[in-house]
Amino acid sequence: MSKSYSSLKSILSEILPLHRTLASDDMDKTLQIIGSYMPDSADYTIETYAPGSQVWTWRVPEKYVVHEAYLETESARGAGRSERVVDFKNNPLHIISYSLPVDLILSWDELKPHLRYSERCPSAIPWEFKFYERDWGFCLPKNQFDQLPQDEKYHAVIRSEFISDPQQGFKVASAVVHPEGGANPDAGEFIVMSHTCHPMQANDNTSGVVTEIDLARRLAGRPLPASSMSVRFWFGPETIGTVAYLANHEDQIPNLRGGMFLDSVGNQNTLALQRTRQNNHLLDRVASYVMQKQFGEFRQGEFAQVAPNDERVINGPGVNVPCISLSRFPYPEYHTTDDNLDIIHEGLLVEAVDVAEEIIRIYASNYIPKRTFRGPVFLSGNGLWVDWRDNWALNRAIEKIMMSFEGQHTIFDIAEQVNLDYWMVRDYVEKFRAKGFVTLMPIPSEAQAA
Ligand SMILES: [Zn+2]
């Protein structure tokens, strides 16, 4: 039974403190927590990939274990004092993620190149990582860095371990929510993504994770109309997670009709639409329509220009599934410990879910109606006449709608042409379909096969 929740922020605070790096025990725990909230019907599945294995041009990283990590002055150590300059157990951001193991006595000049701080947020610990060209280092607030004695010797200890056991490998998770009546294989899937990495950070991107959970629950609770696309929900570490997943599921790629990445959606800033790489794709037009309806004027940017994320994979070379993203990027607390619960607003998380949900409901339920009739349809004889006294605008649009069933236009295109609400036009077209006057042609796949 999937767990209930009182707010999105409550799930966020459960995941937030975990040491969520590319692969770690806490990442495994994070994926389990996500699964506990996902709808039961969605068949949430966690997959493990063997460290060191080749995925396209990338390599799957090892699991990272930190037994202990701290920095202390030699004088404190000599005097048997336990105070430490920084300690991993107080905050996982205190070390550069994937730091190599060290146990060294260093002068200030030797230590300094291994210390990282943020000029932008001087009282916060910055998040730094060296996943592939490995090194080691500690992260601390600039204010603390400025106070450190330079005539001291320092003891740097990082007891870390890289585990390449395939059983304990690198993990991602996904689940699928089907439309009313079950999957329609011809319609394919829409994929929603967010990443689970970024230890101790709330907005980037635990906010995306919790909005994605809520979206899945909404689409399971009130399924998309029959014959719509299924919606796949994906969770995992940034970039390498998506690369590893797609490389292991190349057969799924032709099925994907579109995607959405959710990133940093809880902070106080306007929601921005990042367009697909195609830039003026049907998905961009659907998203713009929803954003416009919700906000009037809205913020938008080109592909990978607002908040570059895994759309660079899903909409990238050799895949090229049109993928938008929604985010409230930029924000000043980015990649520091100031990115915490204080900057997250429940109302803004919910607003992001509302917008994402409507984009998906329209895009995934859209199809190309293809006529089976000849001549104008005998409307009043088939219950298809719309009385102008009941709906003047739809009455005026009937002829245009009926002339658009040549297999060239989707319902969304038709609604755009007649400048009417998508759902009103869809309901009307569905009446033609119920009479057998149009058949449903799904939106074709545009994914690259190699
Ligand atoms: Zn980030």
Side-chain angles (χ1 to χ4, degrees):
M1 252 301 265
S2 70
K3 278 198 277 178
S4 59
Y5 45 88
S6 53
S7 66
L8 295 183
K9 233 176 143 170
S10 72
I11 311 176
L12 204 150
S13 53
E14 194 179 338
I15 298 172
L16 177 67
L18 297 169
H19 179 220
R20 293 168 286 114
T21 184
L22 297 182
S24 63
D25 287 334
D26 273 4
M27 176 60 94
D28 298 356
K29 201 182 287 177
T30 303
L31 292 175
Q32 274 155 21
I33 294 171
I34 293 169
S36 71
Y37 291 108
M38 287 294 280
D40 299 317
S41 59
D43 192 24
Y44 180 83
T45 309
I46 299 174
E47 296 180 28
T48 306
Y49 307 125
S53 57
Q54 185 79 20
V55 282
W56 294 345
T57 64
W58 292 64
R59 177 171 42 80
V60 173
E62 307 95 309
K63 182 175 188 172
Y64 188 54
V65 179
V66 181
H67 300 289
E68 181 179 40
Y70 58 89
L71 182 67
E72 63 185 355
T73 60
E74 270 295 85
S75 62
R77 181 157 88 130
R81 298 203 310 268
S82 60
E83 77 245 30
R84 287 170 173 175
V85 178
V86 299
D87 196 331
F88 175 83
K89 84 172 178 272
N90 299 330
N91 196 310
L93 262 55
H94 272 314
I95 61 165
I96 295 177
S97 289
Y98 276 68
S99 275
L100 296 163
V102 292
D103 189 341
L104 295 168
I105 308 291
L106 302 159
S107 69
W108 173 253
D109 287 341
E110 291 165 326
L111 174 66
K112 208 178 142 199
H114 294 280
L115 298 181
R116 300 282 195 290
Y117 52 82
S118 165
E119 296 278 3
R120 176 168 48 92
C121 298
S123 60
I125 310 166
W127 179 51
E128 301 277 343
F129 47 90
K130 278 277 185 193
F131 293 137
Y132 302 102
E133 297 161 88
R134 284 177 193 154
D135 194 0
W136 65 270
F138 293 96
C139 307
L140 71 174
K142 169 85 166 58
N143 296 341
Q144 189 189 0
F145 173 87
D146 289 339
Q147 303 289 311
L148 289 179
Q150 305 193 0
D151 52 358
E152 270 275 13
K153 287 258 182 201
Y154 288 85
H155 183 209
V157 176
I158 299 176
R159 294 192 215 287
S160 59
E161 208 183 329
F162 298 87
I163 297 182
S164 43
D165 172 9
Q167 304 307 315
Q168 299 186 53
F170 176 84
K171 291 184 170 61
V172 306
S174 72
V176 186
V177 174
H178 294 301
E180 197 75 62
N184 170 16
D186 294 338
E189 291 182 351
F190 187 87
I191 187 166
V192 184
M193 318 182 84
S194 59
H195 31 75
T196 44
C197 50
H198 289 46
M200 230 8 163
Q201 287 149 83
N203 199 38
D204 184 8
N205 189 19
T206 324
S207 68
V209 169
V210 300
T211 46
E212 196 181 330
I213 292 171
D214 203 44
L215 252 180
R217 305 261 293 218
R218 290 191 192 190
L219 291 173
R222 185 165 75 86
L224 289 165
S227 308
S228 297
M229 297 171 195
S230 295
V231 183
R232 181 171 293 272
F233 294 90
W234 184 94
F235 304 90
E238 186 167 358
T239 314
I240 177 64
T242 309
V243 171
Y245 180 79
L246 291 180
N248 278 279
H249 294 281
E250 288 188 335
D251 57 315
Q252 275 182 18
I253 296 173
N255 250 349
L256 298 174
R257 304 298 151 94
M260 173 190 287
F261 198 92
L262 292 164
D263 178 39
S264 303
V265 288
N267 62 298
Q268 190 68 258
N269 192 0
T270 51
L271 195 66
L273 166 66
Q274 181 180 277
R275 303 174 72 87
T276 66
R277 186 163 153 226
Q278 287 79 351
N279 198 42
N280 195 24
H281 192 267
L282 175 64
L283 179 55
D284 295 303
R285 288 189 290 122
V286 169
S288 299
Y289 169 78
V290 174
M291 294 284 282
Q292 164 84 38
K293 234 170 142 180
Q294 176 87 13
F295 303 115
E297 285 287 293
F298 65 92
R299 199 156 62 91
Q300 61 177 322
E302 284 186 8
F303 183 69
Q305 297 302 307
V306 181
N309 278 304
D310 297 37
E311 76 285 340
R312 290 163 43 261
V313 182
I314 203 103
N315 207 165
V319 185
N320 213 26
V321 172
C323 184
I324 55 165
S325 104
L326 296 178
S327 86
R328 299 184 189 275
F329 202 77
Y331 61 105
E333 300 85 359
Y334 171 72
H335 281 193
T336 72
T337 42
D338 283 349
D339 182 349
N340 56 39
L341 285 176
D342 296 346
I343 67 162
I344 302 292
H345 302 267
E346 181 73 17
L348 296 178
L349 293 172
V350 173
E351 181 186 81
V353 183
D354 290 343
V355 170
E357 181 186 5
E358 185 63 3
I359 293 171
I360 294 169
R361 284 196 184 277
I362 294 178
Y363 189 76
S365 69
N366 191 26
Y367 63 86
I368 303 167
K370 175 94 171 68
R371 122 189 111 73
T372 60
F373 59 86
R374 300 180 79 184
V377 172
F378 178 21
L379 297 171
S380 53
N382 286 285
L384 293 167
W385 171 251
V386 179
D387 194 320
W388 56 270
R389 280 162 294 228
D390 297 334
N391 191 337
W392 168 259
L394 185 55
N395 170 282
R396 302 296 297 168
I398 292 175
E399 293 301 327
K400 268 193 175 169
I401 294 173
M402 220 191 332
M403 301 297 157
S404 306
F405 295 155
E406 299 299 324
Q408 312 284 323
H409 306 287
T410 71
I411 294 172
F412 184 80
D413 296 318
I414 300 169
E416 227 178 18
Q417 279 160 21
V418 296
N419 197 25
L420 287 179
D421 175 74
Y422 168 80
W423 295 108
M424 184 198 287
V425 175
R426 191 181 188 282
D427 285 349
Y428 190 52
V429 173
E430 282 284 280
K431 290 185 178 140
F432 281 76
R433 191 157 79 93
K435 287 278 173 190
F437 296 154
V438 299
T439 55
L440 177 154
M441 282 168 56
I443 311 282
S445 171
E446 293 172 35
Q448 289 180 332

